[in-house]
Each structure stands twice: as C-alpha cells, then as structure tokens.
Amino acid sequence: GWWCWIIPLRGGNVSAGIVYDSRLFKLADGPNLGERLRAHLLSHPVGAEIFGNAQIIEHDVHAYSALPYSSKKVCDDGWATVGDAAGFIDPLYSPGLDFCSYTSYFVADLLARNLAGEDVAESLAYYNEQLPITYRLWFETLYKDKYYYMGDAELMSAALLLDVGTYFIGLVIPVYRDPEREFLHLPFEGRAGRVFGGMMKFYNRRLVALAKRRLATGCYGRRNAGWRELYDGFVPDARVRKLIRKGLFHWWRAELTNLRLILTPGAKNRAPSSSTATSTAVAAPL
C-alpha cells in the first residue's frame, strides 16, 4: 500500500518520500516525522544501501494528506484553469505533465482564437464538459484502489506493463504523429475514449480483486522474492505491443492462480475493508 521516490539533487542531496494509502499502511511511530521516514527507508534493502549514512536536513520534512482534488468547473468567459490548478490525482506515473501539456495547449489555442475575434463558446463548453470526464476516467483506470496490489510483484508488474503500454498506444504515439491535432482533444474523448477507458478499468478492477483474495488467503506477494524483470523500454512504435502482451500474460497467469485459490478447500474468504481512500505523501531531502 505504499511506494517511495528517490531523486538525486544537485550538491549531493537526495529527495526521498513515501506515498501511501492510509487504509492499508501506517508510517511507524518515531520521535519526529523525519526519523519516521528514515526508519521506513532503511527497512528496505535498497533504502538501506542508499541512506545508511544519510543525514536528514532539519526543518525540511513535510507531510500532506488527502492529495487528490478536482474542479467541477474549469473555465468560463475570461478565465480557464490548466494543469494541477484544474485537478490532481496521484504522483505515481507523474501524470501532472500530461495534464499540463493537454490543458495548456488547449487553453493557449482557445485564448489565441478568442483574441483573434473568434467565438469560442463551443470550445469553452467542451473544456468544461470533457476535462472532468478525463480526470475521472484517468483516476478510475489507473489509480482507484491500486495500492491494494502495489505490494504484489506479479500483479503490479502486470499493471505497470498494461498501464504504460496502453498510455503509449492511446496517447503518446498519436501525439508523436500529429501533436497539433491530438493536444486539442482531451484524453478519453468520445465513445472510443470511453470504450478504451472501460477496458482499462476492467483490468484494474480485476487486479484489485485478485489482490484482495491473495490477502485473504495469505498468498499475497508469494512471488516477490527473487522477482526480476528487465524491459527493453517503452518507445512510441509497434514494439510497445510486446510489453502489453507480457502484461496480459502476467494478468492471466494471476487469474489462474486465483482460480486455484477459489477451488482450494478451506481457503479463507475474508475480504479487506473498503473504507474511503486517503493518499498521504511524506517528503524530505537527505
């Protein structure tokens, strides 16, 4: 139910932080927030290797809760919001740059046409209607309950390959081919966008369901030890299909494991609670 970022900074400092779902994880108690974060980082082999001798920079450790927000209205006559001003979901996958690119390009084009004397009422209506839809589908396809399976290597690997693969197929490749056209159409637009979003929501819901059964039966993370995957890299061409196929293989193999758990006599059937999600971020330079 958590993930960490580690970002080297100029001068030898390192920005480190943790984002977690408060339904599933609690940061251990400690004398102060910095020590709590440091203790968590050192509990992981990678963190221990990097931060074993690190010193916390005092008064530069911060925590934020309930990170996601959205806007029901994003523009009107004379004003428009773009990027994180219009909404924020989760820093995983760094979606802020995508929202910034699409919304800034669209609003810049709208502003230029308005200054040229064009009637932009239709564009304003489209932006107000489509951006909340884009935000909602982006959340439901990529982030809703994702932290349930984040700690299971097989399930998270399937999600990573499918999430990033479909991102390249649906957004990156079209933008590379015709950026001026694509940036004027927000993601998940129209019937095709909703169908595509529906497929992504389906596999995400299935991965969540698989994770909950694994948690209930004590099988969560059984493949984690020794799990290693090296990818060729995601590139904006047909080669990305190979990685999507690999993601589908991981998912379908997990479905077979789930079927065995269902058919196993005496398997527990205790589902985790489903309270409201709250994302929390703790960050510090070390």
Side-chain angles (χ1 to χ4, degrees), residues 29-42:
D29 293 333
N32 55 60
L33 187 59
E35 289 298 333
R36 293 169 66 194
L37 174 60
R38 186 174 186 274
H40 178 76
L41 293 170
L42 294 180

Side-chain angles (χ1 to χ4, degrees), residues 29-72:
D29 293 333
N32 55 60
L33 187 59
E35 289 298 333
R36 293 169 66 194
L37 174 60
R38 186 174 186 274
H40 178 76
L41 293 170
L42 294 180
S43 69
H44 191 281
V46 174
E49 178 70 23
I50 296 175
F51 299 110
N53 298 316
Q55 299 294 321
I56 298 171
I57 298 177
E58 294 185 14
H59 311 300
D60 203 3
V61 184
H62 309 280
Y64 305 93
S65 61
L67 295 176
Y69 62 88
S70 62
S71 304
K72 292 182 179 179

